[in-house]
Structures are given as structure tokens and as C-alpha cells.
Amino acid sequence: MKYLEERQELISYGKKMKEEGLAPGTSGNLSVFLKEENLVLISPSGIDYFDLREEDLVLIDLDGNVIEGDKKPSSEWFLHTSFYKNRDDIFAIVHTHSMYCACLAAMRMPILAVHYVLADANTNRVPCAPYERYGSKSLAKKAVETCGESKGVLLANHGLVTLGEDLKSAFNLAKTLEYVAEIQVRTMAIGRPFVLNKKEMDQVIDAFKGYGQK
Ligand SMILES: [Zn+2]
């Protein structure tokens, strides 16, 4: 079986996604892009992450043809491949139905810079793509269009998509955006939160580039 390490990583982040409450039921899916072969390793449709075995992950090409695996790929495979086709800076995608992101998506509101950590998404607002049925090609098209240069996009009345250079950063961004969305929803319940402007957020985005251990 090819890509054993990537398979184990996908299973481990799938479990984390459940444990952190980011994806109720069998919702939520994730993938990594294998650039050497132009293939995508993606979670299968409708299997609980705690029952998932390495061989259940599905290796597909960018047109959705199954290259390896006997399971059906996630119903959102077209959403994943559309991002990989349109963005050369991302190699992993996490899709969640987390509560506060889903609340804002139901309001069809962007996630605003109510906390500076939103800068992790490389934007000062995470936009919300117009409603389209889950799993549809039009959903994928609108999500990619709406996302622009951001690393996250909400899907109206549905959930969140995050993009990363690797699975860890895409997963961490899904957690961060849920945190910011929660602040936004809670502060909006008591009034009108102050929102950081583009200049303030650009300063944070710049500062983040040099943040952490070298
Ligand atoms: Zn979904």
C-alpha cells in the first residue's frame, strides 16, 4: 500500500477533528495532495474516523478517478480537487461542520477580525460562499471563487473549508477559525464587536511570518 505515512496522518487528524467537536456524525472530510504524482489521498464517504483503516482511504486523480482503494471517496471530492487545481500553495484540505462556523454560515456572514489570530487565514475576513447543494460541482466552483487568496472559506448553511501547506496547518486553521467564529457569535449576542481593520490585520499577517522558533 502506497503512502502509509500520509494515510496514518489522515486517520489521526480525522479522529482529532471528531474529538475536538469540529465534525458531528460522519460529517467532515480531509485530504492531502501528493504533488509528485498529481494525486489526492482523501477520506472515504460515510465511515466513522474511529473505524477507519489505512486501506479505507481513497487515492484519486484530479478528475476523481479512483487509483487505489475499494471505498467511495468523500462526497466532497470535487471540492477538494477543485482547490488543488486552482491553488499551487496548498497541499492539504480540511472540511468541517463546526458549530460556530456553521452559525455564521447560516447567517451567510464572513468570519470577521474580532480577534487578531484570524491572520492565520492570511486575510482580514474569511468570506462565505453562496449556497449550493453539498457534494455539487457548483458548490466547489463557488467555494474556490469566493475563497480568493484566503486559506479559509465558509460554505453557506453548511460549514467551513480550510487550506494548508500540510494537514497540521489546515487542521489548526479549522480550530482557530472555529475559535474566532465563536467570539464573533458570542459578542454579536451582546452587542456589536470592534473589528480590526485591514491595516491592523496586515501588520499581524506580517508579524506572523516571523513568529515562532527558527
Ligand atoms: Zn460538509
Side-chain angles (χ1 to χ4, degrees), residues 4-17:
L4 187 60
E5 207 176 297
E6 286 83 356
R7 288 168 193 270
Q8 286 166 345
E9 202 190 11
L10 281 163
I11 294 174
S12 125
Y13 278 102
K15 288 179 182 167
K16 274 193 206 193
M17 192 166 74

Side-chain angles (χ1 to χ4, degrees), residues 29 76 95 97 158:
N29 39 70
E76 297 294 2
H95 166 54
H97 291 180
H158 183 163

Side-chain angles (χ1 to χ4, degrees), residues 133-145:
R133 199 207 72 202
Y134 86 93
S136 65
K137 296 199 169 173
S138 38
L139 172 66
K141 190 167 174 280
K142 292 203 170 144
V144 170
E145 275 169 15

Side-chain angles (χ1 to χ4, degrees), residues 74-206:
S74 159
S75 53
E76 297 294 2
W77 68 266
F78 195 78
L79 179 76
H80 289 248
T81 55
S82 299
F83 275 106
Y84 294 129
K85 280 183 193 169
N86 283 280
R87 293 279 293 259
D88 55 11
D89 58 330
I90 58 131
F91 301 96
I93 297 175
V94 171
H95 166 54
T96 66
H97 291 180
S98 60
M99 180 54 72
Y100 289 95
C101 286
C103 286
L104 292 179
M107 300 293 290
R108 304 192 182 177
M109 278 181 89
I111 308 176
L112 300 173
V114 291
H115 193 295
Y116 76 87
V117 292
L118 187 85
D120 269 340
N122 194 40
T123 182
N124 67 324
R125 55 159 51 194
V126 170
C128 182
Y131 180 76
E132 292 291 342
R133 199 207 72 202
Y134 86 93
S136 65
K137 296 199 169 173
S138 38
L139 172 66
K141 190 167 174 280
K142 292 203 170 144
V144 170
E145 275 169 15
T146 306
C147 189
E149 296 298 299
S150 168
K151 287 190 171 167
V153 61
L154 290 173
L155 309 176
N157 304 88
H158 183 163
L160 172 72
V161 179
T162 56
L163 317 173
E165 305 81 62
D166 52 30
L167 207 45
K168 186 180 179 193
S169 55
F171 176 80
N172 286 342
L173 183 59
K175 268 191 2 184
T176 299
L177 293 184
E178 177 62 5
Y179 171 73
V180 179
E182 179 169 357
I183 295 170
Q184 186 174 333
V185 170
R186 286 176 179 262
T187 53
M188 279 173 14
I190 49 175
R192 203 165 144 199
F194 289 93
V195 175
L196 300 173
N197 63 35
K198 177 145 188 344
K199 189 175 161 219
E200 287 164 330
M201 286 299 287
D202 282 345
Q203 287 169 350
V204 181
I205 291 170
D206 272 351

